Amino acid sequence: MRRRDDVRLDQPQIVDKPVTVGGEVYRITCCSMGNPHCTVFVNSVDKLNLQEVGPKFENDPLFPEGVNAGFVEVIDDHTLKARIWERGSGETKACGTGTCAAVVAATLNGFCEKGQDIRVILKGGELKINYTDERVLMTGNAEKIFDGVVEI
């Protein structure tokens, strides 16, 4: 579920674990999607000051390599709303691994059922995630949001 070095807690699985980050107590669920994710369930992602709380999670000593922090509001057992703070990048409009981690965490916490399609609403659109014992499957649209030029 997670790599042993992602979080400085001596537990094989971290689900709904109270920890202190930035002087506040949060209940975290951690998993790896190939990169470390910490999910926190909140009453409203729209009222969350992610620019303040995101860096606190990313840089907390609890996460020695930094962490992608997902803040998730449960709408119902098939719908989540999420905002993701990606380590090294800040808030993202859409984060595939963060969205997958949100659904895994929601399932581990009993908010969603394994094997069901879960709709996740992000600032950049919506993704559908289906988590089973064998895989985490993500489907959704890809949209071009930026053109750029890099001089080397």
Side-chain angles (χ1 to χ4, degrees), residues 1 32-33 100-101 103-104 107 113-118 128-139:
M1 221 49 221
S32 175
M33 294 287 128
C100 289
V103 171
V104 170
T107 302
E113 193 174 324
K114 199 182 279 189
Q116 301 292 312
D117 287 341
I118 308 300
K128 181 174 64 175
I129 310 298
N130 190 300
Y131 165 54
T132 68
D133 289 330
E134 292 77 38
R135 56 143 174 81
V136 181
L137 178 67
M138 175 179 62
T139 54

Side-chain angles (χ1 to χ4, degrees), residues 86-103:
E86 195 170 338
R87 64 181 177 169
S89 299
E91 183 173 13
T92 61
K93 288 188 176 186
C95 177
T97 59
T99 304
C100 289
V103 171

Side-chain angles (χ1 to χ4, degrees), residues 23-90:
E24 299 287 327
V25 176
Y26 297 91
R27 300 190 76 86
I28 65 170
T29 299
C30 297
C31 66
S32 175
M33 294 287 128
N35 54 355
H37 286 271
C38 174
T39 301
V40 177
F41 293 95
V42 297
N43 292 329
S44 171
V45 294
D46 296 324
K47 294 180 181 175
L48 179 71
N49 184 347
L50 191 55
Q51 298 302 315
E52 179 183 315
V53 75
K56 290 178 182 179
F57 271 82
E58 177 182 0
N59 299 303
D60 195 277
L62 184 61
F63 308 103
E65 300 295 322
V67 74
N68 298 302
F71 298 87
V72 179
E73 177 182 344
V74 178
I75 306 299
D76 60 39
D77 63 350
H78 284 86
T79 312
L80 305 174
K81 191 172 185 181
R83 290 176 67 192
I84 313 296
W85 184 270
E86 195 170 338
R87 64 181 177 169
S89 299

